[in-house]
C-alpha cells in the first residue's frame, strides 16, 4: 500500500444527543471536542442525532403521524370533486 493514501482510523466516543447515550467506536472523522471515557482516557467526541438507543426500529417506539388531520385540511382547502361534476 502507498503511504499517506488511506485516512487514519481512530477510536472515538459517539454521543447520541437526542437521548444522552454514548458508545465507543472507530472512525476516520476528526473532532475538536474530547470527552473522558469510563476507562479514564480522553477520546475525541463525535455527536450524532440518532443511534440504536433512539431509533424507532430498535426501541419499538414509533411516532404516529397525524395523517387524518392532514387529509382533512387538504380536503377543506382544495375541496373534493366528484366524477359526476356535482
Amino acid at each position: 500500500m502507498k503511504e499517506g493514501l488511506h485516512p487514519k482510523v481512530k477510536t472515538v466516543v459517539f454521543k447520541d444527543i437526542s437521548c444522552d447515550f454514548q458508545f465507543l467506536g472507530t472512525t476516520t472523522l476528526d473532532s475538536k471536542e474530547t470527552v473522558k471515557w469510563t476507562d479514564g482516557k480522553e477520546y475525541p467526541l463525535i455527536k450524532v442525532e440518532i443511534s440504536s438507543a433512539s431509533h424507532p426500529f430498535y426501541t419499538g417506539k414509533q411516532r404516529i403521524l397525524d395523517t387524518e388531520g392532514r387529509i382533512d385540511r387538504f380536503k377543506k382547502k382544495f375541496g373534493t370533486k366528484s366524477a359526476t361534476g356535482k
Side-chain angles (χ1 to χ4, degrees):
M1 284 194 307
K2 290 185 177 182
E3 295 276 334
L5 182 64
H6 299 283
K8 290 189 177 187
V9 177
K10 308 176 252 320
T11 303
V12 299
V13 174
F14 290 98
K15 181 177 183 177
D16 185 343
I17 56 175
S18 64
C19 67
D20 203 34
F21 173 71
Q22 297 180 0
F23 60 95
L24 199 61
T26 58
T27 187
T28 59
L29 296 174
D30 289 326
S31 176
K32 294 180 182 179
E33 295 180 72
T34 60
V35 68
K36 188 174 269 194
W37 189 242
T38 56
D39 62 1
K41 295 181 184 178
E42 291 251 346
Y43 293 101
L45 176 67
I46 304 288
K47 294 180 181 177
V48 295
E49 293 181 13
I50 196 161
S51 70
S52 60
S54 62
H55 193 279
F57 179 79
Y58 295 106
T59 61
K61 299 176 186 174
Q62 298 210 359
R63 290 185 269 170
I64 299 171
L65 297 176
D66 181 25
T67 56
E68 189 172 316
R70 291 181 184 180
I71 293 170
D72 290 338
R73 285 193 304 261
F74 178 83
K75 286 180 180 178
K76 184 178 178 182
K77 184 175 182 179
F78 297 104
T80 56
K81 296 180 181 177
S82 64
T84 59
K86 293 182 182 180

